Structure formats: C-alpha cells, structure tokens
Amino acid sequence: MFFTYLRRELRRRRKAALVVASGLALGIALVIVVNSASAGMQQAQGKVLESLYGLGTDMTVTKAAPPPSEGGRERPRFNFDAQDGDETQSSDIVMPQGFETLASSTVGKVADQTGVAGAVGGLSLSVLKVDGEFKPGEFAPRENTSGGGGGGGGGTGGPQGEVRGGGANFDVNSYTVYGTDTAHQDLGPLTSSKITDGRTFETTETDAKVAVVDSAYAKEKKYKVGGDVTVKGTKFEIVGIATADSGDASANLYIPLKQAQTLSDSKDKVTTVYVKADDSQQIAAVKSAVQKNIPGTTVTTSADLADRVSGSLSTASDLATSVGKWLSIAVLIAAFVVAGLLTMSAVTRRVQEFGTLKALGWKSGRVTRQVVGEAMVNGLVGGALGIAVGVAGAYVLTAVSPSLTAEVGSAAAGPGGGGGGMIRAGGPAGQAADKAIEIALTAPISAATIALAVGLAVTGGLIAGAFGGWRASRLRPADALRRVE
C-alpha cells in the first residue's frame, strides 16, 4: 500500500516533485562545488608553502629578530683596489639571509624536544656579485687662444688642461644559495624539487665542491650538468639540475652546508631549522615546547605562513570560505523551506484523500509516514541530481584549471631594519617569496564531500516530510466528509 500511494503521488505531482528535487539539487551541487574548490585551494596553498618549507616540513625555527632599539645592522660594502689601465674588477658579498643565524647545536636541541620526529639545519644565503671596469680619464691640454705671448692659461700657474672621459661600468647580479645537510636530505626546501638531470647530493659529500642548480636559473645562465659555477671565487661542479614542483624554487643554487658556512664566514651556523612533527595534530604543542625550551628563537608553522599568502589565491580562498559557504547555506535553507512548504501545500490539497483513509481506519502515524516517505524520495532524487551536477561542476573546474597567483609577504625587514624583503619564516625563499607563484586550481572531490551531499539530501527530505507530516497528522475524517459533493 505504501509504495502504491508513493508511485501514484509522484506521477500525479510531477511538476511539484521536480521543483522540490531541483531546489535541493541546486543547493547540494553548490555545496559540492564550493567544498571541492576550497579543498583545491588548500592543496594549492600547500604547494606554495612547500616551495618555501620543503616537503614534509611542519615548522621552521629561526633566530628571533632583535628589537628595533638595538639599531641598524651594518650594510654590505664592496671594496675595489685601485689599478692602472682598463682593468675588470669583481667583488662578491655572501651573507646569510636576514643577517640572523643560529648555532648548529640548535638543531640537536630541537630534535630532542618531545613530539619532534626529525630536525635538519640549513643555511640560506644571498649573494650580491658586482663586476665591471673602471676606465680612467684622459688629460687633454687646453689650446692657447690668447694671441699674446703669455702662454695658455693666462700665465697664472693654473691648470693647463682638463681630464676628459673615464668612469665606471658595473653590473650587479644577485642570486640565492642554500646550504643543505647532505647527510639528511629528507627535510628542507630541496625536497620540493625533483632532479630532472644528473643527480642529487650523495650523503658523503658533506664538504664537497658540488652544486645542484635550479632548472630556471640553469636555463637563464646556460648551466649544464658537468659544468661549474663560481661563488666568491670557489668553483663548484654542477652535478644535478632540479625542477621545483611549484614552478618557483626556493633557491637558485644548492651546495653542501659546510661549503655554505665557509663562503659566508658562518662556521657552525644555520639560518633555519626544518622540523617534522611525530603527529600533525600536535604541531601547536611542539611549537610551544620549542619556544619555551629554546629561548631566542621564533617558531613558524605552515598555518602561520599560510596567513601571509596573498594574491589571487588568497582572494579566491577568502571568497570560497566566506561568500561561497554562506551562499551555499542560504541556498540550502531556501531549498529546505520551499520543499517543506510545497509538501505541506500538497498535503492540504489531499485533505479528502487522507481524511477518507483515516475514516477507513488509517492511523495518524501511518498517514504521516506516507507523507514523510514521499518527501524522502523527493529528497533522494534531488540529492542524486545535486551530486551529478556538483561532480560535473568540479570536473569542469579541474579541466579548466584556472591559474591563480600566490605571494608570501616578508615577515621581517632586511638589513638595517629597512624593507629588505628577506623572509624570515620560510628559509631560503627571500627572493622567491617576492615573486608571484602561479598555481593551477583543481577541485578534488572526496568521499566526505559525497557523504555530506547524501546527508543533506536526507535532511532535506526529512525537513519537507516534517512539514507535511505535521499537517497530515492534524487532519480529521470530518474534514473529508464536509468536502464531498
């Protein structure tokens, strides 16, 4: 009897059932698309953070910035020797990014903290290379135009000519170098790049003159595996070319940590400690423990750094989080209310039918279950349509893959307290962090999202059924008899 009435009612009320199902489908589809887009943005944001942190890194430890009252730091100086003739001159300045370093022993202290699975130190360097030439001027005597016999220059003993020409022509090149612990390569920025030519470092090359070059920088400078690159007069053999997964590498060159310490006169120093936690759910507790037990340090988690991501990725993420989710909720509420009102209206039109059924012995509970069952079918149909439309929308979004840009703003000022733009939280990304990173947006659909859609469909059916069931339970057999002609 239940299914008989169910089939008959759905056939008789095709338009109303379609309106109810379509409204629920719209709300559910919107929820699926918004949740999938939000998940895609989180993945994109993760790629941006990995380009700074490295794969598997949960947090970084750096030296706490000194208070402004301590005054500015000494700015880099370039010194050139005076030489005769047209001589090419060159000078390199190699300095830790941010000008703040930690003792290498800090790595061990961090690794000993409860909840830390691993800790690796790295040295992030900025290299400023100035090369060019000084050209001395030439002395040109003045011509005698006085016409007298007094000699040029008026015979007063003044200069008899002038220096003409000369000057300087210098080119300034800047790039980043990251000193990596070759014995522990499972953490740090290099893990976010893949070796596309040659090889990575061997664990025994702790102090070898070898280098891995970022592919974009190698293309710009025409570096190849087997060639060499010179940093502050030291030649490094290029053993590998690395391509960053995010499209923007953390550093231009990667060399062994000890070599980086030697070049920058930073023996037994690191700029960043990369930390992996035992449990991703305990990152906050590990951060608190490190800050408490190792004074003078700043601990930055991926969540902290995510707050500094700007650009269209941040804008789109904010829209999906605020506007998108609130819009989804508003549409769902409207769909639920409309479904309930339409169901209650349909019950009102069936007063004679339900009143007669009650007169024949149907209990109010049976009538209510009949109405709720019909509403549930409408809800499930709407859920199926919503899932289909939502999955299709997410697929289209993934296929189109709109490009979003992301930029991580500086966390601290540069040398001297000015706007040097050296990022303090993300390791060797001081220059890369100031560039816009393009990320292709995807919309992955998870099982949780589908489960949410099914739950919404069932909820919509229950809400509509509750409206209709409440109205049906109030019907009396006398109502039907009064309306019989």
Side-chain angles (χ1 to χ4, degrees):
M1 185 67 70
F2 173 82
F3 293 103
T4 299
Y5 277 100
L6 182 62
R7 288 194 301 269
R8 188 191 68 179
E9 183 60 23
L10 291 177
R11 285 199 304 267
R12 191 166 59 125
R13 297 177 54 246
R14 290 190 184 94
K15 291 184 179 179
L18 182 60
V19 170
V20 173
S22 299
L24 292 174
L26 177 61
I28 292 171
L30 190 58
V31 169
I32 291 176
V33 172
V34 170
N35 276 273
S36 299
S38 297
M41 290 170 191
Q42 289 178 356
Q43 289 184 1
Q45 197 174 63
K47 290 182 180 179
V48 175
L49 302 183
E50 284 178 5
S51 69
L52 302 179
Y53 270 161
L55 188 65
T57 304
D58 293 318
M59 66 188 73
T60 56
V61 180
T62 54
K63 187 174 181 179
S69 58
E70 291 187 5
R73 303 179 184 88
E74 182 181 356
R75 294 181 179 273
R77 295 179 178 272
F78 294 91
N79 298 316
F80 298 97
D81 295 330
Q83 299 181 14
D84 295 331
D86 298 344
E87 295 290 343
T88 298
Q89 304 226 10
S90 178
S91 178
D92 288 10
I93 294 292
V94 181
M95 50 195 171
Q97 287 193 5
F99 285 78
E100 296 293 343
T101 58
L102 295 166
S104 297
S105 58
T106 307
V107 179
K109 295 178 181 178
V110 173
D112 291 337
Q113 300 301 309
T114 303
V116 174
V120 175
L123 186 62
S124 308
L125 304 177
S126 291
V127 181
L128 296 178
K129 180 178 179 61
V130 178
D131 53 9
E133 63 180 12
F134 290 105
K135 184 177 181 180
E138 296 180 354
F139 180 81
R142 293 178 179 173
E143 297 180 359
N144 184 4
T145 59
S146 63
T156 61
Q160 304 300 307
E162 61 183 354
V163 177
R164 298 176 181 176
N169 182 20
F170 280 84
D171 178 59
V172 178
N173 179 34
S174 63
Y175 56 95
T176 54
V177 177
Y178 174 63
T180 182
D181 187 344
T182 61
H184 303 89
Q185 301 183 50
D186 54 337
L187 288 176
L190 185 55
T191 59
S192 62
S193 297
K194 295 180 179 178
I195 301 297
T196 52
D197 191 14
R199 62 175 177 84
T200 188
F201 298 109
E202 296 179 356
T203 56
T204 57
E205 294 176 326
T206 56
D207 198 18
K209 292 182 175 62
V210 292
V212 173
V213 186
D214 172 61
S215 58
Y217 190 68
K219 182 178 180 180
E220 176 187 348
K221 299 298 182 180
K222 296 180 172 54
Y223 290 141
K224 295 182 179 180
V225 174
D228 57 62
V229 56
T230 302
V231 181
K232 199 178 180 181
T234 302
K235 284 189 176 182
F236 292 86
E237 179 188 358
I238 300 174
V239 297
I241 304 294
T243 301
D245 293 337
S246 65
D248 203 347
S250 297
N252 301 127
L253 299 177
Y254 300 88
I255 62 176
L257 177 58
K258 288 187 178 180
Q259 285 293 329
Q261 292 170 335
T262 300
L263 289 175
S264 60
D265 296 326
S266 303
K267 184 179 180 181
D268 295 329
K269 299 289 185 181
V270 296
T271 52
T272 312
V273 181
Y274 299 87
V275 184
K276 182 177 182 179
D278 284 324
D279 185 356
S280 60
Q281 303 299 320
Q282 301 298 321
I283 291 178
V286 175
K287 175 181 177 179
S288 299
V290 173
Q291 289 180 323
K292 177 181 179 181
N293 299 326
I294 307 177
T297 60
T298 297
V299 182
T300 307
T301 67
S302 56
D304 298 331
L305 196 57
D307 294 337
R308 301 176 190 147
V309 175
S310 59
S312 61
L313 174 60
S314 177
T315 302
S317 180
D318 291 341
L319 287 174
T321 302
S322 54
V323 178
K325 290 187 176 181
W326 282 113
L327 178 62
S328 300
I329 293 173
V331 171
L332 276 175
I333 292 175
F336 289 168
V337 172
V338 170
L341 293 177
L342 288 176
T343 303
M344 191 165 64
S345 176
V347 171
T348 302
R349 291 195 300 270
R350 297 167 66 186
V351 168
Q352 294 182 14
E353 175 187 344
F354 289 135
T356 302
L357 291 174
K358 281 192 171 185
L360 294 175
W362 277 41
K363 301 293 184 182
S364 295
R366 185 174 180 182
V367 174
T368 301
R369 286 194 297 272
Q370 184 70 38
V371 174
V372 172
E374 295 171 3
M376 284 294 300
V377 172
N378 286 334
L380 293 176
V381 171
L385 290 175
I387 291 174
V389 174
V391 170
Y395 176 79
V396 170
L397 186 60
T398 301
V400 174
S401 296
S403 180
L404 298 177
T405 59
E407 183 175 327
V408 179
S410 298
M422 299 296 182
I423 189 166
R424 198 177 293 277
Q431 290 183 342
D434 292 334
K435 300 177 183 178
I437 301 175
E438 290 194 358
I439 301 292
L441 178 64
T442 60
I445 299 176
S446 63
T449 301
I450 299 298
L452 175 63
V454 173
L456 291 174
V458 173
T459 302
L462 289 175
I463 292 175
F467 276 98
W470 172 80
R471 181 70 181 90
S473 65
R474 294 172 60 87
L475 294 177
R476 294 177 299 175
D479 294 332
L481 297 178
R482 283 198 298 266
R483 297 194 183 192
V484 175
E485 297 181 358

